[in-house]
Amino acid sequence: VNTVPVYLLQYCRQLNATGAFCLPSVKELFAFQVIVCTCSDAHLLYRAGLTNSQLRIRRNCFQTFVTSSIQDCNMRGGVLEGVNEPHFTHLFVDEAAQATE
C-alpha cells in the first residue's frame, strides 16, 4: 500500500479493516467485462478457472444439463443464448513489461 500513489488508491480494492489489497468476489468479477490486473492477479484468475475458455466449457455443460432436464420432463425449451460468447472482452495486464515469459 505504501508504494501506491495516493491518487490511485481510490481505484484499488482494499480490506476496510487492514487496508490490505484484496481481490473482488467472483460475483463482482462477473459484473465486469474489462479487467485491469497485475501478472500475479491474472494468474490467480487463470488458476480459478475464470478464463473465457473455462467459462465457455461450464456454460456448455449447463446447456447440456438444462436440455437434458427439459427432455426428461417432456417439456419444450429453447437454447441458452450466449453460451459460446466470451464473457470478458479485455484483460489489461499491468507490469507486463517486467515479465520474462
Side-chain angles (χ1 to χ4, degrees), residues 1-2 4 9 11-24 41:
V1 175
N2 295 332
V4 176
L9 286 175
Y11 304 108
C12 300
R13 179 171 300 276
Q14 296 175 274
L15 295 173
N16 289 335
T18 64
F21 295 121
C22 62
L23 293 173
D41 292 338

Side-chain angles (χ1 to χ4, degrees), residues 15-77:
L15 295 173
N16 289 335
T18 64
F21 295 121
C22 62
L23 293 173
S25 68
V26 172
K27 182 179 179 180
E28 289 175 284
L29 283 173
F30 282 149
F32 302 110
Q33 289 184 299
V34 176
I35 293 180
V36 178
C37 63
T38 64
C39 291
S40 177
D41 292 338
H43 180 70
L44 289 173
L45 293 172
Y46 171 79
R47 296 281 296 168
L50 298 177
T51 64
N52 279 332
S53 63
Q54 288 296 316
L55 294 172
R56 190 174 296 115
I57 290 169
R58 290 178 186 171
R59 288 191 300 249
N60 276 298
C61 287
F62 183 66
Q63 167 79 32
T64 302
F65 169 75
V66 168
T67 303
S68 175
S69 297
I70 289 172
Q71 289 172 352
D72 289 347
C73 295
N74 294 322
M75 297 172 59
R76 293 180 55 181

